[in-house]
Amino acid sequence: MDQNELKKQVAKAALEYVEVGTIVGVGTGSTANYFIDALADIKGKLEGTVASSVASADRLRGHGIPVMDLNAAGELSIYVDGADESTKHLHLIKGGGGALTREKIVAGAAKKFICIADESKLVDVLGAFPLPIEVIPMARSFVAREMTKRGGTPVLRENFTTDNGNLILDIHNLKIMDPVSLEHELNDIPGIVTVGIFAIRPADVLLLGTKDGVKTLT
Ligand code: 5RP
């Protein structure tokens, strides 16, 4: 089974967590896209969805699935999204697709965060995948210097603007031994909008697509 088949398999498995008549938060990326495609089969059972990006909202609407504004939706039953890396403690790096800010908001508004990923995403220590950080444009160089002081190598994501009109710095060469405290520390740097560490609010369930079937970590 190739990586896309593993992603498809795990996306389908997430349907088990969808509760009839509720509003579902939907993530961004290729694994989340497979979830959106799977969701289309049960769209009549949903009250609606809240999307974490313009791209996901467009894909949901393309399937005829209702997309709501988070302010109108209130609390969501679940949030389903992929990840760039996850530890066995369900601490994540996210933001490879640049949607980390809305992803963190929608995850925060959900009772349960179901992370869906193929087995290559499970790591012992976060940081081999460059950590995405969304920054206000005027803070770009300041935040880059702050990350260099912390041992990282910041690289500006070229020709990319987030759905919120901001920039992404991808921070290479970090070994994130304590994701919760690094997330707290970076949250305090002025100009950082969102850090791609999801550890203060980790996933509640990690569905991992493997060659031997879907494994569930909690
Ligand atoms: C987007 C994300 C994605 O969830 C993450 O990049 C994983 O993507 P994919 O499912 O394509 O491997 O955080 O901002």
Side-chain angles (χ1 to χ4, degrees):
M1 228 186 255
D2 70 9
Q3 196 182 20
N4 283 324
E5 286 303 318
L6 296 178
K7 289 181 180 188
K8 209 180 278 182
Q9 175 197 53
V10 85
K12 278 199 175 147
L15 289 181
E16 293 286 318
Y17 291 83
V18 176
E19 296 165 29
V20 177
T22 65
I23 301 167
V24 173
V26 178
T28 300
S30 58
T31 319
N33 279 345
Y34 286 125
F35 176 68
I36 293 171
D37 298 346
L39 210 51
D41 294 338
I42 59 157
K43 62 183 173 190
K45 295 183 179 161
L46 302 175
E47 188 182 334
T49 59
V50 171
S52 66
S53 63
V54 172
S56 290
D58 289 346
R59 195 176 184 100
L60 286 158
R61 289 199 185 96
H63 282 298
I65 301 172
V67 181
M68 304 166 75
D69 184 287
L70 180 62
N71 293 305
E75 192 177 53
L76 311 175
S77 56
I78 57 169
Y79 176 63
V80 180
D81 197 1
D84 299 302
E85 286 184 344
S86 175
T87 67
K88 62 180 185 203
H89 304 295
L90 313 197
H91 295 150
L92 314 172
I93 284 186
K94 289 187 48 53
L100 62 161
T101 296
R102 296 188 187 195
E103 290 172 347
K104 206 173 263 197
I105 294 168
V106 185
K111 279 195 253 176
K112 222 174 209 191
F113 177 3
I114 316 296
C115 183
I116 51 177
D118 68 86
E119 59 190 342
S120 71
K121 307 289 183 75
L122 188 64
V123 298
D124 290 327
V125 178
L126 299 176
F129 188 92
L131 173 66
I133 297 185
E134 179 164 351
V135 297
I136 300 283
M138 74 169 285
R140 184 193 74 209
S141 299
F142 166 63
V143 172
R145 287 195 298 276
E146 288 298 310
M147 294 313 300
T148 303
K149 276 188 212 162
R150 289 164 174 81
T153 308
V155 176
L156 178 68
R157 203 175 290 185
E158 292 289 340
N159 303 316
F160 188 85
T161 305
T162 69
D163 285 349
N164 315 303
N166 296 316
L167 303 173
I168 299 279
L169 289 174
D170 291 304
I171 315 299
H172 296 248
N173 301 322
L174 291 176
K175 234 183 181 187
I176 304 173
M177 303 310 289
D178 186 345
V180 173
S181 44
L182 187 63
E183 186 179 358
H184 276 299
E185 182 183 332
L186 300 184
N187 280 346
D188 279 347
I189 296 177
I192 289 186
V193 177
T194 302
V195 176
I197 302 172
F198 286 53
I200 297 170
R201 198 272 190 252
D204 298 297
V205 176
L206 172 63
L207 298 177
L208 209 57
T210 79
K211 287 179 281 321
D212 306 318
V214 175
K215 291 191 177 150
T216 305
L217 280 71
T218 54

